[in-house]
Amino acid sequence: FFSCLFFFDFFVVFRIMNGGSIFALATIVMWTFVEFTTATKSSVMFPMDRYFKSSFVDPTAPPWTKFFIFSNGTIVYQDANRYELHYDYASAELEDFSGVTAQQFDAITLYNAGRKALLGAIMYAPQSVQAEEVAVQFVSLDPLDATFLLRSISIVQNSVSCSPSNCDLKFLYFPTFELSSSIADIEGALTNAGIEVSSVARWTVSSTVYSDGWAFGALKHVPPDQIQQQFESGLLTAQDILLTDGVPAEIPPLAGLISLAPSTPNSHVTILAKTFGLPFIYAGDPEERRRVVDAVGQRVVLRVLSPQQFMNTWLPPPMKLVTFEEAGIDAAMHDILKKRKMPKPIPIQPMQRAESYSAPLASLRPVDVVRFGGKSSNFGVLFASIPSHTVQPSGLGFSFNIWMDFMKTTVQGTRMTLGDWIKQKLQGLMVWPADVQQLKVALEQIQDVIKDKDKSPFPADVENAILSALQDKNYGFNSTARLRFRSSTNVEDTSTFSGAGLYDSNSGCLADDLDADDEGPSVCQPEEPKEKGVLRAVRRTLASFYAINAVLARIQYGVNEDDVGMALCVHHNFPDEAELANGVVFVTIDGPRRQTVVSIVSQPKDNSVTNPEAGVVPETATLSVSSWSKPDLDQLSTKFMQNPRNATIDPHSSLLPVGRQVMEMQLYRDVAVYCVEAVAAFVNFTKGSMKWPEEKLVYDLEYKYLAPGQAVKPAGGLVIKQVRPVPQPEPERGQPILINEPMLFETLQGEHTGCSDTATEQECLSQSKAQLFAETRNMELSEAALQTTIFTKAHLKWKDNCTVHEADALDLPGYRHKFIRASNSSVDQFHIDAGRGAEAVTITLPNIPLELELGANPILFLNEIGKWQNGHLQYTFRGETTRLSLPMPRDKLKTFTASEPGYDISVHLYWTPGPSGPSAGWTYPLSKWVNATISTPTTSFTICSWWAMTYFPGHHNFWNIFYLEPFLDPTVSNEDLKALADAGIRGFMVVDQTLGSMKTITPIPWGSTPACSLGNRYPQTLCNATDTSRPTQPPPCPPAQSPVQINLNFRGILQDFKGCPPCTGASSPNSAPPAMSSPSPDMRVPTPDHNGNGPQINLIFANMFDGLCPPCPAKGPES
C-alpha cells in the first residue's frame, strides 16, 4: 500500500511539472497528510525510516522502532516517535487490543500460553559505527524455542527494505534480560541460520571515563573472577594497573583500572576511584583497546581525562597510555613519578564514647560521626529534610560503645582481650606496601573469632543493650520482619573518606533470638533451615571491619587503628521482591560554574547498581539547573521541580527491551528534588549556611522505589536510604610532567593555515609543508629545565621545489635553543638548504605551563604543552608561520569532482569528526588523503603522495581548494610527467564551491611566478620529467580501505617452493623468494564494498625462503 502511495505521489508530481492542475497539487497534500499521520505500516527502510526514533545530536545512539508479529505471520510496525511503548500504540491504533487494560495486554503478549502477538523491537547500527547491521529483539517472559525464534526473525528480515538496493544487511539477535538465560539452548541453531547473538555493547565504540587520574606501574590483565585471588597471592599488587574484561563488585587497592566492558558510573568501585583520584576507564575505542592489549606485561604511564568542553575534536583523548620503553623513562623519572603518587594520610576524627549504646537515627547529625559513625549520623539529615521519603520507622544507630566494650571481652583460650589479641595478630603487618598473603591469613583468623560467639562472647551489657533497643516500641521494629545492620564507621561516609563497598551489611531476625532456642527454621524466613538472628548479623557486620580490602585502604592512607572502629546503622530490610527500581544518585553542586547536576543511575527491580554484574549497562538520567546568580541552596529543589535543563535518559538499561525505561522522567524528577533537598540540608548542617558554595561539592545518595506493604516503608514509593559526601582528591600542586611519546607532526591543512598572503594562501601552504617526527625528554616543566631543548629527536622533512628533503634538525647547521620567559616559549632554530642557500627554520612551543592549574592532571605530552595551540607546533619558514599538527581522527570519506574541457579530476580524502555538542558551525580540516585521479587531453593517472596534494578549506567548507602537484609523487610514471611537461603544466588548482556548485580546474603553467611571498620555486630544470631514478612502472596508490582481521591458512606452503634459481653473472646472495603458485582456496580475501571501503591487506613474503638457498659466489666488482 505504501509503495503504491509513493508511486502515486511521484506520478502526480510529474503531472504538475508538466502542466498539471491545482487539483493535482491538492491531491499531493491530501495523500502526504494521510501518509505522515498514519502510525502503522508493515515494512521499514534501511538505513533511515521515519518510524524510527533516532537522535540527530548523538551519532552513537542506534535508531529503533517496535513491532508486533501476529500468529498468521503478519508484522506491524509502530511509529516510535509517536508511541514509545507497545501498549500505548496497541490500545490506540490496533483494533484487536482496543479497550484492554495494561495487565490484560501483558497476559496475551508476554507469555507463550494464549499469546495473541509477539512483541519486538528493531534497531539499526548507529551512524558512528557505519555498519550495515540490523538487530532484532523480542519481549517475552517465557523462553522462545529456536524454531519459533527463527521464524519470527525471518519475518522481520523480509519486512526490511534496503536503499541502495545492493546493500548487504547483517541481522543480529539481541536477547533481552529475561530471554538471555535460555540463549545457550538455541544459540547453535541461530548460528547455523547465520544469525549472530550479540548485544547493544557491540555498537559501543567510544570510551567512558568513570574517574579521572593518572598512574604508573605494570599493566596486568586479570579476568574479573580471579582479581581478588591473584591479589591475595601476590601476582597482582597495589602498584599495578589492572586490565580486566569486566569490573566486579569489589576490587582491591590498585594503581589504576581499565575495563574492556562497560561498568556503572556510580558503583562502589567508581566512588572509591573518584575519592582517591585513581584512573578508571572503559576502553571502548577499538584503537585504544588494541594499544592497551599490546602493552600488557609492560610498565606503563596511564592518564585518564574527562572531556570538559562541548567540542571534543581538539581535546586530548580520554585515555593516554605509553610504555616505559617507548617513552624512555629512566630511574630518575621513575623516582619523580613515585614521589608524586605517594598516598597522603587521611585526616580522621577519632571515635569517642557516647552517652548511650543507641539513639534514634532521626536525632543524629553529621557532627555525631565521632560517636555513631558516618552512615548513622548522615541518616539524620534525611529525616530532617525529607522525612516522608526515607525509611519508616526511623531506625536506630548503635554507638561505638558496642565496639569499645566488645573489644574488652576475653578471647577464649587466652588471657587477652579481643582488642589486644587483634593487635598481636597484626603486629608488623600494618605497613605499606603490605605483605598481602600474611595479612590475609591474620585477618581471616580475626574475622573467624569475631563471628564465633563462643570464641568471643558479647559482654552481657552489650548483648542486653542490643536486644533491648531492638525491642523498644519507640523504634517500631517488627520482630518477625528482617532487620538490616549496616556498617557505620568513622572511616567511611565522611568528608575525608568514602569507604564505599569496603564493609558489609547483614540482615537478621529478632524473633530468632527471642524464641529461646537455636533451632531453625528462621521465623522471618521459613524457607531458611537455620536461624538468622540479629546477634549473628551484628557479629558478621563487625567482622567486616577486618575485611582485607578495608584494612589495606586504611594502611595505604595512614589511618591509626586505635582511632577507628565499627558502629551500626539499623532499619527494616528492603525485600528484594518489593523493589520496583533502585539506584545511586550523584548530586554535584559546581560552585564556580553555578550549576547543579543530578545524575541518577538505575536498574529495574533489585538488580544491583552499586555492585553490578560485569558488562551490564544501567540506565542514567541526568537533570541539571544553572543560574547567573548564586541562589541559596534551599531554592534548588524548586528549580528542579519547575524546569530542569537537559533532562535526558541515556543510556537505557541493558536489562530492559528497547524503548523501555526503568522509571518515567517524572519519577526521576521527584528523585532529583528529594536528593537536592537532602544535600542542601547536609551542607547546612556541615557548613552552617545555605549560601551558594564557592567550591565544587559532590554527594552520593541511594534510592529504592518500593511496592506498598513493606515494613521498611508501608506506603511504598520512593525511599532515599543514604546520603554521604564524595571526598574530592586533594588537587595536585607543583610542576607539570612532560612524558615522551614518539609523535609525527605534519602541516595542518585546515581553514586557518597561518600563511599571511590570503590571496594565494593555498600555494603558500603548499610550499610551507613539512613533517616533524619528534621525541622529548621526560621532565618536570620548569624554567631551569627549559633552558635546554625538550627534544631528544627532531627529524624534519621539508619541501624544495619538486624534491622532499629530510634531516635531523638537532644536527643541522646553526642550531640553537632559547627559552623566552615573557611568553614561556621554547624556541629551536636551525638552517636548511632549500635551493637558495641556508635558510632559517624555527619551531616554537609558546605558553608552556610551568605550574599546575588547580585540580589539573600533571601528565602532559608534547602536543598538549602549549595552552592555546590545540595540539599544534608553530613552524616558521621564509617568514611564514604555519602549524604542525598530529594527524587527526578519520571520519567522513569525501569526494570532490570537477570537469573542464579536456580535464577531469576527482579528489578523495577524509575529513575529521565534527563537534560532539552544540556548535555555531564547523570547518572540517583534512584528516587523511586517499588519492586524486587526473585526466588530461594526453594522459590519465592517480596521485596519492601527501606531499603532492594540499587542501585549503574555506569557511564552513563553503568552498574547497585543492593544490595538486604530480611531480612530487613518486608513484606517477615518467611517461605521465613528460606528457604534463610537454603541455607546459606543472600542477593543477581545483576549486569546488559548495554554495553555487561552481567547480573549476586551473592548470598551473611552468614559469608562473606565484604572488605568495615565497617567490618562484618551480624552475622547470629542477623538476626533470625524465628523471631516470623514477620507475618506469611505479607502484600504484593504495586503495581507501578499512583494516580487517584476516586469518591466513599456510598449510602446505612449502609445496609452492619451486627450487633455488640459478646463479647469474653478477648476483647478490641468492635469497630472492622463488615463484609461488596461486594462493590456496583457504586464503579468502574480502573485497571492498560499493563505497570502496573494505579490507586493507599487506602480505609480505619477502625473505620468506631465506636460508633455503645457498648464496651465489661473487663474480666481480659489479656484484
Side-chain angles (χ1 to χ4, degrees), residues 923-942:
T923 301
Y924 290 95
L926 171 74
S927 168
K928 180 181 178 63
W929 285 109
V930 179
N931 57 42
T933 59
I934 300 173
S935 177
T936 75
T938 57
T939 187
S940 297
F941 55 89
T942 299

mmCIF file of all heavy atoms in Angstrom, residues 923-942:
data_model
loop_
_atom_site.group_PDB
_atom_site.id
_atom_site.type_symbol
_atom_site.label_atom_id
_atom_site.label_comp_id
_atom_site.label_asym_id
_atom_site.label_seq_id
_atom_site.Cartn_x
_atom_site.Cartn_y
_atom_site.Cartn_z
ATOM 1 N N THR A 923 34.359 24.031 10.409
ATOM 2 C CA THR A 923 35.098 23.838 9.168
ATOM 3 C C THR A 923 35.931 22.579 9.310
ATOM 4 O O THR A 923 36.792 22.491 10.182
ATOM 5 C CB THR A 923 36.006 25.042 8.875
ATOM 6 O OG1 THR A 923 35.208 26.224 8.784
ATOM 7 C CG2 THR A 923 36.750 24.829 7.564
ATOM 8 N N TYR A 924 35.656 21.593 8.465
ATOM 9 C CA TYR A 924 36.358 20.317 8.549
ATOM 10 C C TYR A 924 37.747 20.442 7.942
ATOM 11 O O TYR A 924 37.873 20.784 6.767
ATOM 12 C CB TYR A 924 35.589 19.233 7.804
ATOM 13 C CG TYR A 924 34.308 18.824 8.475
ATOM 14 C CD1 TYR A 924 33.093 19.395 8.104
ATOM 15 C CD2 TYR A 924 34.309 17.861 9.469
ATOM 16 C CE1 TYR A 924 31.917 19.024 8.713
ATOM 17 C CE2 TYR A 924 33.132 17.478 10.088
ATOM 18 C CZ TYR A 924 31.936 18.064 9.708
ATOM 19 O OH TYR A 924 30.778 17.691 10.311
ATOM 20 N N PRO A 925 38.792 20.153 8.704
ATOM 21 C CA PRO A 925 40.141 20.091 8.124
ATOM 22 C C PRO A 925 40.410 18.696 7.556
ATOM 23 O O PRO A 925 39.595 17.777 7.693
ATOM 24 C CB PRO A 925 41.036 20.383 9.329
ATOM 25 C CG PRO A 925 40.268 19.842 10.488
ATOM 26 C CD PRO A 925 38.805 19.996 10.159
ATOM 27 N N LEU A 926 41.546 18.566 6.948
ATOM 28 C CA LEU A 926 41.956 17.279 6.396
ATOM 29 C C LEU A 926 42.336 16.322 7.517
ATOM 30 O O LEU A 926 43.025 16.692 8.464
ATOM 31 C CB LEU A 926 43.160 17.475 5.464
ATOM 32 C CG LEU A 926 43.843 16.192 4.980
ATOM 33 C CD1 LEU A 926 42.985 15.501 3.933
ATOM 34 C CD2 LEU A 926 45.234 16.497 4.436
ATOM 35 N N SER A 927 41.878 15.090 7.393
ATOM 36 C CA SER A 927 42.358 14.027 8.262
ATOM 37 C C SER A 927 43.386 13.166 7.529
ATOM 38 O O SER A 927 44.495 12.972 8.007
ATOM 39 C CB SER A 927 41.205 13.150 8.741
ATOM 40 O OG SER A 927 41.685 11.979 9.357
ATOM 41 N N LYS A 928 43.006 12.687 6.347
ATOM 42 C CA LYS A 928 43.896 11.771 5.628
ATOM 43 C C LYS A 928 43.571 11.837 4.139
ATOM 44 O O LYS A 928 42.405 11.863 3.742
ATOM 45 C CB LYS A 928 43.698 10.336 6.136
ATOM 46 C CG LYS A 928 44.568 9.287 5.453
ATOM 47 C CD LYS A 928 44.279 7.908 6.024
ATOM 48 C CE LYS A 928 45.088 6.827 5.322
ATOM 49 N NZ LYS A 928 46.524 6.998 5.511
ATOM 50 N N TRP A 929 44.617 11.880 3.319
ATOM 51 C CA TRP A 929 44.430 11.811 1.879
ATOM 52 C C TRP A 929 44.187 10.368 1.456
ATOM 53 O O TRP A 929 44.751 9.435 2.027
ATOM 54 C CB TRP A 929 45.677 12.316 1.142
ATOM 55 C CG TRP A 929 45.847 13.806 1.159
ATOM 56 C CD1 TRP A 929 46.775 14.524 1.852
ATOM 57 C CD2 TRP A 929 45.067 14.761 0.438
ATOM 58 N NE1 TRP A 929 46.627 15.870 1.627
ATOM 59 C CE2 TRP A 929 45.576 16.036 0.750
ATOM 60 C CE3 TRP A 929 43.980 14.662 -0.435
ATOM 61 C CZ2 TRP A 929 45.047 17.209 0.221
ATOM 62 C CZ3 TRP A 929 43.445 15.817 -0.955
ATOM 63 C CH2 TRP A 929 43.974 17.072 -0.640
ATOM 64 N N VAL A 930 43.364 10.200 0.426
ATOM 65 C CA VAL A 930 43.240 8.907 -0.240
ATOM 66 C C VAL A 930 43.989 8.974 -1.566
ATOM 67 O O VAL A 930 45.044 8.374 -1.720
ATOM 68 C CB VAL A 930 41.764 8.526 -0.453
ATOM 69 C CG1 VAL A 930 41.669 7.184 -1.177
ATOM 70 C CG2 VAL A 930 41.045 8.441 0.888
ATOM 71 N N ASN A 931 43.470 9.746 -2.517
ATOM 72 C CA ASN A 931 44.167 9.940 -3.781
ATOM 73 C C ASN A 931 43.430 10.994 -4.597
ATOM 74 O O ASN A 931 42.368 11.485 -4.196
ATOM 75 C CB ASN A 931 44.290 8.632 -4.578
ATOM 76 C CG ASN A 931 42.935 7.982 -4.850
ATOM 77 O OD1 ASN A 931 41.967 8.666 -5.190
ATOM 78 N ND2 ASN A 931 42.863 6.679 -4.708
ATOM 79 N N ALA A 932 43.995 11.317 -5.731
ATOM 80 C CA ALA A 932 43.353 12.186 -6.716
ATOM 81 C C ALA A 932 43.591 11.576 -8.089
ATOM 82 O O ALA A 932 44.730 11.227 -8.432
ATOM 83 C CB ALA A 932 43.915 13.601 -6.654
ATOM 84 N N THR A 933 42.537 11.417 -8.857
ATOM 85 C CA THR A 933 42.662 10.909 -10.228
ATOM 86 C C THR A 933 42.576 12.082 -11.181
ATOM 87 O O THR A 933 41.680 12.926 -11.067
ATOM 88 C CB THR A 933 41.557 9.884 -10.531
ATOM 89 O OG1 THR A 933 40.281 10.488 -10.352
ATOM 90 C CG2 THR A 933 41.667 8.687 -9.601
ATOM 91 N N ILE A 934 43.512 12.135 -12.107
ATOM 92 C CA ILE A 934 43.653 13.277 -13.016
ATOM 93 C C ILE A 934 43.625 12.765 -14.454
ATOM 94 O O ILE A 934 44.363 11.845 -14.809
ATOM 95 C CB ILE A 934 44.966 14.032 -12.740
ATOM 96 C CG1 ILE A 934 44.987 14.550 -11.287
ATOM 97 C CG2 ILE A 934 45.149 15.179 -13.728
ATOM 98 C CD1 ILE A 934 46.317 15.151 -10.873
ATOM 99 N N SER A 935 42.761 13.369 -15.250
ATOM 100 C CA SER A 935 42.679 13.029 -16.671
ATOM 101 C C SER A 935 42.866 14.303 -17.479
ATOM 102 O O SER A 935 42.169 15.306 -17.252
ATOM 103 C CB SER A 935 41.327 12.387 -16.987
ATOM 104 O OG SER A 935 41.208 12.109 -18.365
ATOM 105 N N THR A 936 43.842 14.279 -18.398
ATOM 106 C CA THR A 936 44.127 15.432 -19.253
ATOM 107 C C THR A 936 43.926 14.998 -20.711
ATOM 108 O O THR A 936 43.695 13.805 -20.989
ATOM 109 C CB THR A 936 45.571 15.922 -19.038
ATOM 110 O OG1 THR A 936 46.472 15.006 -19.673
ATOM 111 C CG2 THR A 936 45.895 16.027 -17.557
ATOM 112 N N PRO A 937 44.030 15.920 -21.652
ATOM 113 C CA PRO A 937 43.863 15.503 -23.057
ATOM 114 C C PRO A 937 44.879 14.464 -23.519
ATOM 115 O O PRO A 937 44.639 13.760 -24.505
ATOM 116 C CB PRO A 937 44.034 16.822 -23.822
ATOM 117 C CG PRO A 937 43.620 17.876 -22.860
ATOM 118 C CD PRO A 937 44.089 17.388 -21.531
ATOM 119 N N THR A 938 46.017 14.339 -22.813
ATOM 120 C CA THR A 938 47.063 13.433 -23.301
ATOM 121 C C THR A 938 47.382 12.279 -22.361
ATOM 122 O O THR A 938 48.106 11.357 -22.750
ATOM 123 C CB THR A 938 48.359 14.230 -23.538
ATOM 124 O OG1 THR A 938 48.741 14.880 -22.314
ATOM 125 C CG2 THR A 938 48.164 15.264 -24.638
ATOM 126 N N THR A 939 46.882 12.281 -21.111
ATOM 127 C CA THR A 939 47.241 11.217 -20.178
ATOM 128 C C THR A 939 46.242 11.163 -19.025
ATOM 129 O O THR A 939 45.468 12.111 -18.801
ATOM 130 C CB THR A 939 48.659 11.427 -19.616
ATOM 131 O OG1 THR A 939 49.028 10.282 -18.843
ATOM 132 C CG2 THR A 939 48.723 12.660 -18.725
ATOM 133 N N SER A 940 46.266 10.054 -18.302
ATOM 134 C CA SER A 940 45.452 9.879 -17.091
ATOM 135 C C SER A 940 46.298 9.146 -16.063
ATOM 136 O O SER A 940 47.016 8.209 -16.403
ATOM 137 C CB SER A 940 44.182 9.079 -17.389
ATOM 138 O OG SER A 940 43.351 9.755 -18.290
ATOM 139 N N PHE A 941 46.190 9.542 -14.807
ATOM 140 C CA PHE A 941 46.977 8.915 -13.762
ATOM 141 C C PHE A 941 46.365 9.257 -12.409
ATOM 142 O O PHE A 941 45.432 10.052 -12.304
ATOM 143 C CB PHE A 941 48.446 9.379 -13.816
ATOM 144 C CG PHE A 941 48.605 10.878 -13.765
ATOM 145 C CD1 PHE A 941 48.725 11.539 -12.561
ATOM 146 C CD2 PHE A 941 48.618 11.618 -14.954
ATOM 147 C CE1 PHE A 941 48.867 12.910 -12.520
ATOM 148 C CE2 PHE A 941 48.760 12.984 -14.927
ATOM 149 C CZ PHE A 941 48.879 13.641 -13.693
ATOM 150 N N THR A 942 46.932 8.644 -11.361
ATOM 151 C CA THR A 942 46.463 8.866 -9.987
ATOM 152 C C THR A 942 47.648 9.275 -9.126
ATOM 153 O O THR A 942 48.735 8.706 -9.250
ATOM 154 C CB THR A 942 45.831 7.592 -9.408
ATOM 155 O OG1 THR A 942 44.701 7.235 -10.206
ATOM 156 C CG2 THR A 942 45.360 7.817 -7.977
#
